[in-house]
């Protein structure tokens, strides 16, 4: 950075100009609005999907079967309070089976010579099947015990089986995985969007020769700091806006419990995004300075794109061990670690290693990027390779 007092703060002017240009673009405003709406719709959709009642209809042909279905409804409700089971009376077995085949009933409970059978079309919901089986067995045991003059209550003494969870948050796994995916997706889209904007802006100024005018008035490093600062503020601002929208949607839909689960990972997500984006912003800026035309950006931005796309596919397709390892790799950790924290409890030392490594990588990348940027920004003609750029920075 320049030591000349008259130019030392010029990066702020560059940052203000860069930010104002971005904010005035309709594409920026619309993408922000659409993304915020997407976050809100995701939260509302998740609430609807998890909270919706699951009505199940069972076709029966006699009052005894209807009584068993009534008992099964209580069993199913104890297993999942969203499941509501009711019976529908039909005249005969053929009518009951036709109702199942036509989709008017989810299953049929029919009497056989050896007991009862649950009839489905292609399959039967596991909760419904288990509840009907349990209720039918209990009804048969009670009838047999009464016929044999056996005290069923005494016979079942000590046979109760309870359940205790070592991990009481296991039922939150679906929500955690969904939030983890959203973390990764938003990081991917935001980093790619702002990254290509940085690279495209640098190349456009270089191609139009505007950069020569800017460089005559502002030190080149000040131009770099300004671009990084402006886009980092805008990118982090968008992420914070997404977080606020998500929290507001959770509170509005009464999902305070979900907020208790993801609140801490959400704060860490913002922190990791800030550090990770600074590191990536330097690469995007360098990618723009290496290109001579907009068409060159496809190849010059490839390393930065791989640093973003690799963790995205790893987070979606990778196993637990791979996620654990890569969540502590510098820069990559800025996407992987918050996603892991949303899914499960992560030891504090792993979080510290991931954050410290990314901070160090950001410092190194920005310093190297500044040297490359200074030596390549004003060079025109053919596209500059990374190997040549590093040689120039020595």
């Amino acid at each position: 950075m320049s030591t000349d007092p008259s130019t030392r703060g010029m990066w702020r002017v560059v940052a203000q100009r860069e930010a104002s240009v971005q904010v005035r673009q309709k594409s920026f405003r619309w993408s922000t609005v659409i993304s915020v709406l997407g976050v809100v719709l995701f939260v509302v959709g998740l609430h609807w999907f998890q909270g919706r009642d699951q009505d199940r209809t069972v076709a029966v042909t006699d009052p005894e079967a209807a009584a068993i279905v009534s008992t099964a409804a209580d069993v199913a409700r104890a297993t999942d309070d969203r499941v509501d089971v009711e019976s529908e009376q039909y005249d005969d077995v053929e009518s009951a089976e036709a109702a199942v085949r036509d989709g008017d009933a989810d299953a049929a409970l029919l009497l056989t010579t050896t007991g009862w059978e649950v009839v489905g079309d292609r399959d039967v919901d596991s909760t419904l099947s288990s509840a009907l089986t349990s209720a039918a067995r209990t009804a048969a045991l009670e009838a047999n015990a009464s016929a044999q003059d056996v005290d069923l209550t005494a016979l079942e003494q000590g046979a109760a089986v309870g359940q205790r969870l070592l991990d009481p948050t296991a039922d939150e796994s679906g929500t955690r995985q969904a939030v983890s995916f959203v973390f990764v997706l938003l990081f991917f889209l935001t980093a790619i969007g702002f990254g290509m904007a940085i690279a495209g802006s640098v190349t456009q100024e270089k191609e139009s020769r505007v950069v020569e005018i800017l460089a005559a008035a502002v030190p080149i490093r000040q131009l770099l700091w300004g671009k990084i600062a402006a886009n980092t503020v805008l990118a982090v601002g968008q992420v914070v806006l997404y977080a606020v929208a998500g929290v507001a949607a959770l509170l509005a839909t009464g999902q305070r419990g979900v907020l208790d689960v993801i609140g801490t990972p959400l704060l860490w997500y913002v922190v990791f995004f800030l550090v990770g984006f600074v590191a990536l912003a330097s690469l995007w800026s360098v990618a723009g300075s290496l290109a001579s035309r907009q068409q060159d950006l496809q190849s010059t931005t490839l390393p930065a794109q791989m640093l973003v796309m690799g963790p995205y596919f790893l987070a979606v397709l990778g196993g637990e061990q791979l996620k654990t390892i890569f969540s502590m790799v510098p820069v990559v950790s800025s996407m992987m670690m918050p996603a892991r924290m949303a899914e499960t409890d992560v030891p504090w030392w792993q979080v510290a290693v991931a954050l410290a490594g990314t901070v160090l990588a950001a410092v190194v990348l920005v310093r190297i990027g500044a040297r490359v940027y200074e030596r390549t920004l004003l060079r025109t003609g053919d596209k500059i390779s990374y190997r040549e750029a590093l040689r120039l920075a020595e």
Side-chain angles (χ1 to χ4, degrees):
M1 186 178 292
S2 174
T3 58
D4 185 351
S6 64
T7 60
R8 188 175 300 167
M10 290 298 293
W11 66 270
R12 295 187 183 90
V13 178
V14 175
Q16 291 173 359
R17 171 184 172 274
E18 186 79 12
S20 64
V21 169
Q22 285 261 40
V23 172
R24 285 200 301 267
Q25 292 179 353
K26 288 185 178 180
S27 58
F28 174 82
R29 295 199 294 265
W30 276 110
S31 65
T32 301
V33 171
I34 291 172
S35 298
V36 169
L37 288 176
V39 171
V40 172
L41 289 176
F42 170 79
V43 173
V44 173
L46 185 64
H47 175 65
W48 175 83
F49 181 79
Q50 292 185 333
R52 65 190 175 95
D53 291 334
Q54 301 176 23
D55 297 333
R56 299 287 184 263
T57 301
V58 179
V60 298
T61 58
D62 56 79
E64 187 179 359
I68 292 175
V69 172
S70 179
T71 303
D74 296 333
V75 175
R77 180 68 67 175
T79 303
D80 188 341
D81 59 7
R82 297 172 298 170
V83 178
D84 187 16
V85 180
E86 59 180 17
S87 62
E88 184 74 26
Q89 186 74 35
Y90 289 87
D91 295 332
D92 49 44
V93 171
E94 289 75 13
S95 299
E97 290 181 347
V100 174
R101 190 177 297 110
D102 295 339
D104 296 328
D106 297 287
L109 182 64
L110 303 176
L111 184 64
T112 67
T113 56
T114 58
W116 298 92
E117 68 176 355
V118 178
V119 179
D121 185 16
R122 296 181 181 274
D123 58 9
V124 180
D125 177 77
S126 58
T127 300
L128 177 61
S129 178
S130 298
L132 290 172
T133 301
S134 175
R137 184 178 290 112
T138 300
L141 286 174
E142 289 176 349
N144 293 336
S146 177
Q148 298 295 326
D149 195 22
V150 175
D151 185 352
L152 185 60
T153 303
L155 191 64
E156 291 180 339
Q157 185 102 22
V161 178
Q163 177 175 287
R164 180 168 59 91
L165 299 178
L166 296 177
D167 182 7
T169 64
D171 59 345
E172 301 164 348
S173 60
T175 300
R176 286 175 172 268
Q177 290 175 358
V179 171
S180 174
F181 174 75
V182 170
F183 278 2
V184 172
L185 180 63
L186 287 179
F187 192 111
F188 173 77
L189 294 177
T190 306
I192 287 288
F194 276 97
M196 291 302 295
I198 295 172
S201 173
V202 173
T203 304
Q204 185 180 27
E205 291 172 354
K206 185 176 179 179
E207 190 174 11
S208 63
R209 299 298 182 93
V210 171
V211 70
E212 297 177 7
I213 301 174
L214 293 173
V218 182
I220 292 179
R221 286 203 179 195
Q222 296 277 330
L223 291 175
L224 176 63
W225 305 150
K227 286 188 177 294
I228 291 177
N231 285 278
T232 299
V233 169
L234 290 176
V236 174
Q238 271 199 355
V239 168
V240 171
L241 188 60
Y242 300 154
V244 171
V247 170
L250 286 172
L251 294 176
T253 54
Q255 300 184 76
R256 187 176 294 273
V258 176
L259 186 58
D260 293 338
V261 173
I262 68 166
T264 300
L266 187 60
L267 294 175
W268 277 111
Y269 175 73
V270 176
V271 173
F272 271 98
F273 183 91
L274 169 61
V275 178
F277 188 83
V278 170
L280 290 169
S282 63
L283 291 179
W284 291 113
S285 300
V286 167
S289 71
L290 297 182
S292 295
R293 303 171 302 164
Q294 294 290 326
Q295 295 88 331
D296 297 333
L297 288 174
Q298 185 174 357
S299 59
T300 61
T301 59
L302 186 59
Q305 290 188 52
M306 292 302 296
L307 270 178
V308 178
M309 294 179 67
Y312 172 76
F313 287 111
L314 183 62
V316 174
L317 304 174
E320 187 62 32
Q321 188 173 6
L322 277 177
K323 290 181 181 180
T324 300
I325 294 172
F326 280 93
S327 67
M328 291 182 283
V329 174
V331 184
V332 174
S333 63
S334 57
M335 181 184 292
M336 296 294 298
M337 182 55 76
R340 271 192 67 210
M341 295 177 72
E343 286 189 10
T344 186
D345 294 331
V346 178
W348 67 266
W349 66 267
Q350 293 185 8
V351 179
V353 167
L355 186 59
T358 301
V359 170
L360 180 60
V363 172
V364 172
L365 287 174
V366 168
R367 290 178 66 87
I368 295 176
R371 297 181 64 179
V372 173
Y373 192 82
E374 280 185 318
R375 290 160 174 77
T376 58
L377 184 62
L378 297 179
R379 290 191 56 173
T380 58
D382 294 334
K383 176 185 67 177
I384 305 170
S385 68
Y386 276 91
R387 177 177 297 179
E388 182 181 358
L390 290 174
R391 181 175 57 79
L392 290 171
E394 292 178 354

